[in-house]
Amino acid sequence: MTELMLPLLEKAAPDARVITVSSGGMYTAPLNKDLQYTSGKFDGVEQYGRNKRVQVALTEKWAEMHKDKGIGFYSMHPGWAETPGVAKSLPAFSKSLSGKLRSSEEGADTVIWLALQPKEKLVSGAFYFDRAEAPKHLKFAGTGGSHAAIDSIVDDLRSLSALSS
Ligand SMILES: NC(=O)c1ccc[n+]([C@@H]2O[C@H](COP(=O)([O-])OP(=O)(O)OC[C@H]3O[C@@H](n4cnc5c(N)ncnc54)[C@H](OP(=O)(O)O)[C@@H]3O)[C@@H](O)[C@H]2O)c1
């Protein structure tokens, strides 16, 4: 969908932005080429982390591919927030942390901040958390280096969505 919007984004340059809401859940997941989880027993939480990792790596790739077009690409983690999605998909987590999670508004804070900051203050391709750039990999998580697989994932995503490469 983002790639289909590129002509419109180019029209909005030099202040066009794509802000992708990823998650801290990606920290445990290296980039994995098995987008449809064909190998192993399906685990929804694991697949969530994998998809969120793809978003971070895709953002990095888009920033590199479109660096001279006046479009900024950013991924971010909103923090853990009490939302209908969390209540439905992670009921035990949601119940045990009830009242301690962020509100939806607090979760949206960095998205809005990324939309409004002067672009010169932001780094295209970077990952953000709480209004600051954050690492894409944690020490000893075994995810570093996995982004090398992004080119073949981009090809697969284009083919799945019938986009030409
Ligand atoms: N909540 C957290 O703690 C947390 C933590 C880390 C990352 N995130 C990320 O934050 C984002 C929002 O999460 P959430 O917890 O707010 O989820 P949510 O409560 O399930 O809300 C998702 C929202 O997306 C809309 N939506 C879903 N599919 C759509 C589509 N195809 N087109 C247009 N709108 C669509 C839904 O609209 P309808 O209500 O109309 O279906 C809903 O408003 C997700 O990307 C999630 O991975 C959340």
Side-chain angles (χ1 to χ4, degrees), residues 20-73:
T20 299
V21 181
S22 175
S23 168
M26 63 90 186
Y27 276 126
T28 57
L31 196 63
N32 189 316
K33 290 191 197 173
D34 186 8
L35 295 175
Q36 306 273 37
Y37 216 123
T38 55
S39 144
K41 187 169 179 289
F42 181 78
D43 176 331
V45 175
E46 166 69 20
Q47 178 68 342
Y48 177 79
R50 290 184 189 182
N51 285 340
K52 293 292 156 181
R53 168 64 65 189
V54 171
Q55 291 181 319
V56 173
L58 258 183
T59 296
E60 194 175 79
K61 183 71 191 172
W62 282 327
E64 179 198 313
M65 285 165 58
H66 306 294
K67 64 175 181 293
D68 300 322
K69 293 186 183 155
I71 310 168
F73 295 89

Side-chain angles (χ1 to χ4, degrees), residues 2-165:
T2 301
E3 295 205 351
L4 286 172
M5 284 197 286
L6 280 169
L8 287 176
L9 289 163
E10 282 183 58
K11 270 194 195 168
D15 201 26
R17 300 164 199 221
V18 174
I19 302 161
T20 299
V21 181
S22 175
S23 168
M26 63 90 186
Y27 276 126
T28 57
L31 196 63
N32 189 316
K33 290 191 197 173
D34 186 8
L35 295 175
Q36 306 273 37
Y37 216 123
T38 55
S39 144
K41 187 169 179 289
F42 181 78
D43 176 331
V45 175
E46 166 69 20
Q47 178 68 342
Y48 177 79
R50 290 184 189 182
N51 285 340
K52 293 292 156 181
R53 168 64 65 189
V54 171
Q55 291 181 319
V56 173
L58 258 183
T59 296
E60 194 175 79
K61 183 71 191 172
W62 282 327
E64 179 198 313
M65 285 165 58
H66 306 294
K67 64 175 181 293
D68 300 322
K69 293 186 183 155
I71 310 168
F73 295 89
Y74 317 100
S75 61
M76 59 81 67
H77 171 44
W80 302 110
E82 216 153 349
T83 63
V86 167
K88 183 172 167 230
S89 305
L90 296 169
F93 174 81
S94 172
K95 254 191 195 152
S96 68
L97 289 173
S98 175
K100 298 192 181 94
L101 297 174
R102 294 180 172 191
S103 64
S104 297
E105 289 77 8
E106 286 165 341
D109 176 78
T110 295
V111 182
I112 311 282
W113 180 83
L114 282 166
L116 298 176
Q117 277 300 290
K119 248 176 134 191
E120 315 77 73
K121 294 197 175 168
L122 300 174
V123 181
S124 189
F127 178 71
Y128 284 83
F129 175 51
D130 282 354
R131 300 188 177 201
E133 194 176 341
K136 293 172 187 164
H137 304 280
L138 295 181
K139 254 188 191 170
F140 309 122
T143 63
S146 65
H147 286 199
I150 192 61
D151 287 343
S152 87
I153 288 177
V154 167
D155 287 346
D156 288 349
L157 286 171
R158 285 186 183 146
S159 130
L160 280 168
S161 51
L163 284 176
S164 58
S165 34

